[in-house]
Amino acid sequence: MIYQILNESEVVELEKELRKSLPGTAKIYYVIRSYVNGNLQGYEVLVDNWPSWSCIILRPQSEKQVPKYFSHTYMCHSKSVTSLKYFIQRPGVINWEEPVTFTGVPNDIIPVITELSRKHGATVTSKESRFMYCWTKPEPPPLPQIPDDICLGTLEQKHVETMTDDWESTRYREGLEGYFSGVVQNFDSSCVTDKEGNLLAYICMQYNGAMAMLYIRPEYRQCGYFNILLSDLTRKRLAKTEVAYAFIPVQDTQLIKLAREFGFEWVPEGNMTWIRYNPPAQPNRLSNVTKTVEAKSSNLEDCLNHLKINAIPLTTL
């Protein structure tokens, strides 16, 4: 068998199996759950073997069926680098004639895809690997005292335009407003507003269950909103018996220090990266090759300014 596309009942069975291995499987468990709940339209779930699988890939059934934001995005999980190495090379699993963004893959798979790109005359770019940090304590973190001049709440659709404005000047891809609309509608979030309802800071969940997109307006970055937002969203997750976790760039020592001081712990099996495969440009066709630029934090304010603890591919690599 080259690969198997799972039917609805098999995907539900896979979801139950992945839940047993949390938190290490969180990055794929919550993607599968989003799929089961109908929040990832246009995707199909592939495994290398069923029911004794080693690799999982969610891929677009066609680029016209998935939201524009998820164009050419393959969401991956594997029990071993070796298994994934051979699986992605099986005929029909990956369309190597089109751009591909691999998400959720181990850093060790980069040389494999790089070698494949040479065979196809393509190029590969990758992001700095991410550590997975998770709240593992039985009790939730305490919620800091909320100042009288602000309100702690949840993001709403009316905030989507503001969120898009906050992020569209960074490296995020086309369709961001639609992405945020889906995130606000379907997942947990936390936000701080002033008494007039102006959005001062926020954090929201992603399609794979990670806490991400933390944004604090520059003039409020020393007001303690980091701890307020992270505490509030973590408590919301734990109240639903869900995993509270985030991804942090491996070289961002300041953010790692903040996460540890807050009480999050490293989950080694959850580490991952994103890889962008760009096929060679064809006549009358524009290349989609882009470059990754990693933010470098020199102080706490910069750290919070560039805090993107995301897991679903919120970037064009």
Side-chain angles (χ1 to χ4, degrees):
M1 180 187 302
I2 295 177
Y3 62 85
Q4 181 170 336
I5 300 176
L6 300 187
N7 60 36
E8 183 177 343
S9 62
E10 289 168 338
V11 175
V12 171
E13 186 177 342
L14 176 63
E15 178 191 7
K16 293 178 180 178
E17 180 182 348
L18 290 168
R19 185 172 182 84
K20 298 176 182 177
S21 300
L22 291 173
T25 56
K27 65 180 182 287
I28 188 64
Y29 167 73
Y30 285 106
V31 167
I32 292 293
R33 200 167 80 174
S34 291
Y35 172 88
V36 170
N37 292 340
N39 294 327
L40 280 174
Q41 297 290 334
Y43 272 90
E44 57 188 6
V45 181
L46 282 67
V47 294
D48 54 345
N49 190 42
W50 184 259
S52 301
W53 59 272
S54 295
C55 302
I56 304 168
I57 293 179
L58 279 80
R59 70 178 185 185
Q61 296 180 45
S62 77
E63 293 306 320
K64 294 181 179 180
Q65 291 178 280
V66 299
K68 185 177 296 185
Y69 191 86
F70 289 107
S71 179
H72 303 295
T73 297
Y74 288 60
M75 305 174 192
C76 310
H77 175 74
S78 179
K79 294 179 180 178
S80 74
V81 174
T82 300
S83 296
L84 185 59
K85 169 185 176 180
Y86 289 112
F87 187 43
I88 63 175
Q89 296 185 71
R90 292 183 184 180
V93 173
I94 307 295
N95 181 2
W96 298 107
E97 295 182 357
E98 295 290 337
V100 181
T101 297
F102 295 94
T103 77
V105 294
N107 194 56
D108 292 343
I109 203 68
I110 294 177
V112 176
I113 297 179
T114 300
E115 180 59 31
L116 284 170
S117 73
R118 294 194 185 101
K119 295 179 181 178
H120 293 282
T123 59
V124 168
T125 54
S126 61
K127 285 179 63 63
E128 180 184 347
S129 296
R130 261 60 174 168
F131 285 143
M132 176 183 178
Y133 272 82
C134 178
W135 186 269
T136 60
K137 299 177 177 61
E139 69 284 348
L143 184 63
Q145 184 175 355
I146 311 301
D148 294 335
D149 58 342
I150 66 169
C151 299
L152 179 62
T154 300
L155 288 167
E156 302 176 19
Q157 286 296 322
K158 65 182 181 181
H159 297 132
V160 169
E161 184 177 353
T162 299
M163 297 168 68
T164 304
D165 290 341
D166 291 336
W167 293 92
E168 66 180 358
S169 62
T170 66
R171 60 183 185 270
Y172 295 100
R173 69 173 70 172
E174 190 177 4
L176 183 60
E177 184 171 352
Y179 181 86
F180 275 136
S181 181
V183 164
V184 169
Q185 179 180 346
N186 297 307
F187 305 116
D188 288 328
S189 63
S190 181
C191 69
V192 171
T193 60
D194 61 22
K195 293 300 183 180
E196 288 72 40
N198 298 307
L199 194 59
L200 308 182
Y202 55 85
I203 187 172
C204 55
M205 303 302 303
Q206 308 299 293
Y207 282 78
N208 72 339
M211 300 186 292
M213 307 303 284
L214 173 60
Y215 183 84
I216 303 173
R217 305 212 171 281
E219 60 269 33
Y220 298 101
R221 287 177 184 164
Q222 294 186 4
C223 298
Y225 294 167
F226 173 85
N227 282 351
I228 290 174
L229 292 172
L230 198 54
S231 295
D232 185 52
L233 190 51
T234 298
R235 291 166 66 89
K236 288 177 179 176
R237 299 295 290 165
L238 298 179
K240 296 180 178 179
T241 66
E242 303 290 359
V243 178
Y245 81 99
F247 288 103
I248 303 177
V250 298
Q251 295 182 11
D252 196 335
T253 56
Q254 283 191 301
L255 187 51
I256 291 172
K257 182 175 182 291
L258 284 174
R260 288 176 172 171
E261 290 176 348
F262 188 88
F264 281 80
E265 296 184 5
W266 177 40
V267 180
E269 60 269 33
N271 297 347
M272 53 93 80
T273 192
W274 296 267
I275 305 173
R276 176 73 171 183
Y277 167 91
N278 300 288
Q282 299 178 9
N284 301 320
R285 180 177 174 181
L286 295 177
S287 172
N288 290 322
V289 177
T290 57
K291 295 182 179 180
T292 299
V293 179
E294 289 293 338
K296 300 298 182 180
S297 299
S298 59
N299 52 49
L300 180 57
E301 289 187 10
D302 285 342
C303 182
L304 297 181
N305 184 31
H306 297 293
L307 182 57
K308 301 175 181 67
I309 44 180
N310 52 356
I312 289 294
L314 293 180
T315 181
T316 299
L317 298 175

